[in-house]
Amino acid sequence: MVAMLSFRHVFLGICFILLTRCVVSIPMTFAAVDIGAGTITGPDIVILALFLRVVFGLYKKEIKPGYVLPLLLMLAFIFFGSTLAFLHEHNMKVVYYRSVIGIACYYSICLAMLLLTEKEAKYVINFAIFTACAGIGVQTYLIYTQNNELLIAFNRYYQQIETAGQLQAAFNKGNIPRVLPSGTLLIAMCSGYALARSITSSRIFLAIRFAILYLVLTFFLLTTGTRGFVAGSLAVLCYTVYSVRKTVTISRKLILFFLLPAGLFLSATLVINNNIFSTLVERSVDFQQRGYYDAGLEYRFQQGLEALGVIADAPLGIGATRPLNLGGDVSDGMWDINSFLVIGFLGGIPAIICLFWFLIRLYKQYRKREVSVEILACGVALSYAMILTVFSLSFAFTIGENVIAFSLFAGYILRNRLRTSDGITAGTADQNA
């Protein structure tokens, strides 16, 4: 096993677990292959291998297409729309490579989860949680040592000339800069997962362990200064309590009745009085002074309307994640388009329909009467991703690392359909925690 230093590519380890059932890492310098359309790096090589493994699994009927038909159709429309746009519209090899290999093939993670045993699938989820914690540890170390060189290396945003000075300015103000943005969605989803496990776990020490993990992950999200994480965390908290209401005992409900208000009060006090949350507090105060007017949200709303026009003009997709550099009146901007609409850019209206079809099927599977606590927790994790996606705070469906994070939890829920369809009823005990 070779440890990976870059949190952004530690997802490669998850892919290798799914593919080879062991943790391996290919050094990026020796894994890059120039194919003319772009450079296939280590993660893409793994994803392509995993994609081929899934195709073989479908051929050998290890994966039943009926279980994942909406997802398969969405991928087919992305491949078709991207190819059509490449041949008849933009003719940009790099754009085609990005949409087909860099996004579509990454959904094979979700399908690969169906190839694993229950024990292996749980191991992958636990590895994802470990990855989130490792990312927090790496970022915390880099920030407190103020290692600017490594901070810039980890986040390409600070490598640009116009933003290079923002890093030192953040340190001078005592703020915590964003170092590992590609891991934010995974951390948020693991936060929701840990919350559900802490409430539903029957063993007290296991519940305490997950509660501590939930606090660590959630407070880390708040240090980024994004107000949306406050609303998202509160929404996920309320949804979690609602989701597990029939699972927990009466005594646990009484404990939560007194513990949750006290915890919220103490958390709010900590955030307001601790300097590491200063960015969040400053932005919240400024938001209040402006009469709760959110210019960024309005801008994203306007971009969404413009994106709908693009999709209407190209109902089979433009084969790109955004219209940038493709010409026309919308060649500039449009960086914060909702991830649902970006799927429309790639595969058109049919791809969007299939995505919603897939999400609805996931939800129905998650809300079945008898599911394990792991299924409940994975559903809460997905709810966090959906909340962030709806408000354009994350690109859950169109950024490679985010697609992997989403697919891990979604794939675990899909496994429940496979098990119950074969006559196996999922239990409610904390097994292999």
Side-chain angles (χ1 to χ4, degrees), residues 15 111 132 143 146 169 200 210 286 317 339 356 366 390 429:
C15 299
L111 302 174
I143 288 173
Q146 295 194 13
T200 57
F210 276 110
D286 180 65
S339 194
F356 278 99
Y366 156 67
V390 167

Side-chain angles (χ1 to χ4, degrees), residues 299 302-304 306-307 310 318 321-337 345:
Y299 177 66
Q302 295 298 329
Q303 284 188 325
E306 190 174 359
V310 175
I318 61 174
T321 56
R322 57 182 62 90
L324 188 68
N325 297 327
L326 295 186
D329 297 331
V330 290
S331 59
D332 296 326
M334 299 189 74
W335 288 91
D336 291 325
I337 297 300
F345 283 170

Side-chain angles (χ1 to χ4, degrees), residues 257-301:
F257 181 79
F258 294 101
L259 188 61
L260 288 180
L264 289 173
F265 175 77
L266 292 176
S267 298
T269 303
L270 176 64
V271 169
I272 294 174
N273 295 285
N274 197 303
N275 188 52
I276 65 174
F277 303 103
S278 59
T279 302
L280 176 64
V281 175
E282 290 176 3
R283 291 177 177 176
S284 300
V285 172
D286 180 65
F287 180 56
Q288 183 180 8
Q289 291 176 346
R290 289 187 285 110
Y292 301 99
Y293 170 73
D294 194 328
L297 185 61
E298 181 178 349
Y299 177 66
R300 288 192 291 269
F301 178 74

Side-chain angles (χ1 to χ4, degrees), residues 41-109:
T41 58
D44 294 329
I45 292 174
V46 177
I47 290 297
L48 286 173
L50 189 62
F51 180 78
L52 294 176
R53 176 65 183 90
V54 167
V55 172
F56 181 76
L58 289 167
Y59 174 75
K60 297 291 290 184
K61 297 183 180 180
E62 296 175 297
I63 302 174
K64 298 180 180 179
Y67 296 142
V68 289
L69 180 60
L71 185 58
L72 292 177
L73 289 177
M74 186 186 78
L75 297 183
F77 283 119
I78 291 177
F79 277 111
F80 176 76
S82 298
T83 302
L84 189 66
F86 169 70
L87 294 176
H88 299 286
E89 298 295 336
H90 58 76
N91 195 31
M92 298 172 65
K93 294 180 180 179
V94 175
V95 173
Y96 182 70
Y97 157 81
R98 164 64 179 161
S99 60
V100 172
I101 297 179
I103 296 177
C105 287
Y106 273 66
Y107 281 95
S108 58
I109 296 290

